[in-house]
Amino acid sequence: MQPRQRILVWRMIPLAGFLLTALVVGIHLGAVELSLAQIWQGLGSSSDGSHVETILWQIRLPRVILAACVGGGLAVAGAAFQGVFRNPLADPFVIGASSGAALGATLALLCIAGSATVITATWQIPWLILSAFAGAILVVCAVFVIAALSNIGRNAPLLTLILAGMALSSFTGALVSLIMFLNHEMLTTIFSWLLGSFSGRHWNEIMMAGPVILGSGIVLWLMSRPLDLLSFGDETALTLGLSIGKYRMLILIAATLCTAACVAVSGVIGFLGLIAPHMTRILLGPRHSLLIPGSCLLGATLMVVADTLARTIIAPAEIPVGIVTALMGCPFFLFLLISRGQQTK
């Protein structure tokens, strides 16, 4: 390992430390604050039946772990989308994967509510994930086809990507709104889910979505070299012998599956897939072998912090975490747009 690479690897240690700190703070803060001694004691015993054990193992711990999984998954997917499309403004929310997954999951919620005897509680989360994946992959494929068909100028496909993603996101959002309008009895359930939240989530969601997020994240990390080559452009990648169509499709499927699993258990949470990879790129550079794990750590940290703020800033009430991430991500997105515009002058 070269000295520069060794330095970059060492820079990931503080990111891991920030994540650990965020997890501890997330477990500590809440309606009932838990001291470090209580947390340590509770972690050592999960069957004493005390209120500390109940709060720790049934409420706080699964919530912060799921928030970390979703944050890391969205960040890794965002880094992959940005590499595939060679655009630092791309993320699962902007590309349309999140909105497509939201439409699929909304339809799944209706099916679950209308056929409770057919879809048991055990299969509800897998059904949500599969439905979210189907919706996400359809929208992302549509965006990708539109961008590929645009051949007016060198940068037209990248510009078309953003515009197509916004258009299809609006379209799927309109379909979700129509579903809500036609199903008044499900209005509260669908609306609260669309805002994004980890409230009421338990170990079942982690057991179902966690392996999907982890597996797709590992696949994307193994695709680091193809992502590096795709970032240089199709011509360079072809010159170096990369099968563009094959690897691009594999990366898109893995990133979309990761996004779908995240959306299925947390709802629509935007902009985190944009913020974390960009900040990590500043810290660790553009190499995806470091960018992907670094984005995972930073994305998990940001999500845990956002969820902690969401449930404590106006306690005992709780703000949907999607609102918090949007408030953080929108100014950052505008900053990227302005900076990108000034660089092209």
Side-chain angles (χ1 to χ4, degrees), residues 190-258:
I190 297 176
F191 187 69
S192 61
W193 183 85
L194 288 175
L195 291 176
S197 176
F198 296 102
S199 178
R201 304 305 193 269
H202 300 291
W203 294 105
N204 288 338
E205 284 81 0
I206 298 175
M207 295 296 293
M208 293 294 180
V212 179
I213 297 172
L214 177 62
S216 55
I218 292 175
V219 170
L220 291 174
W221 180 69
L222 293 175
M223 297 289 170
S224 294
R225 184 176 179 277
L227 277 169
D228 289 337
L229 297 180
L230 289 172
S231 299
F232 290 114
D234 291 354
E235 293 181 2
T236 302
L238 282 172
T239 303
L240 295 175
L242 182 69
S243 177
I244 294 178
K246 171 186 174 181
Y247 283 104
R248 182 172 284 160
M249 187 58 61
L250 287 174
I251 293 168
L252 283 174
I253 291 175
T256 301
L257 179 59
C258 186

Side-chain angles (χ1 to χ4, degrees), residues 287-311:
R287 293 182 58 128
H288 286 84
S289 58
L290 294 175
L291 178 62
I292 287 179
S295 297
C296 181
L297 292 173
L298 186 56
T301 302
L302 291 175
M303 184 65 81
V304 173
V305 170
D307 182 58
T308 303
L309 290 174
R311 59 185 171 84

Side-chain angles (χ1 to χ4, degrees), residues 88-89 274-275 278 331-341:
L89 301 180
L274 171 69
I275 299 173
H278 198 79
F332 190 83
F333 182 78
L334 295 176
F335 169 75
L336 286 183
L337 282 177
I338 295 172
S339 300
R340 187 175 174 84

Side-chain angles (χ1 to χ4, degrees), residues 25-48:
V25 172
I27 296 173
H28 165 67
L29 295 178
V32 177
E33 292 190 358
L34 301 179
S35 65
L36 292 178
Q38 288 176 319
I39 295 174
W40 181 259
Q41 183 179 2
L43 290 175
S45 176
S46 60
S47 59
D48 58 4

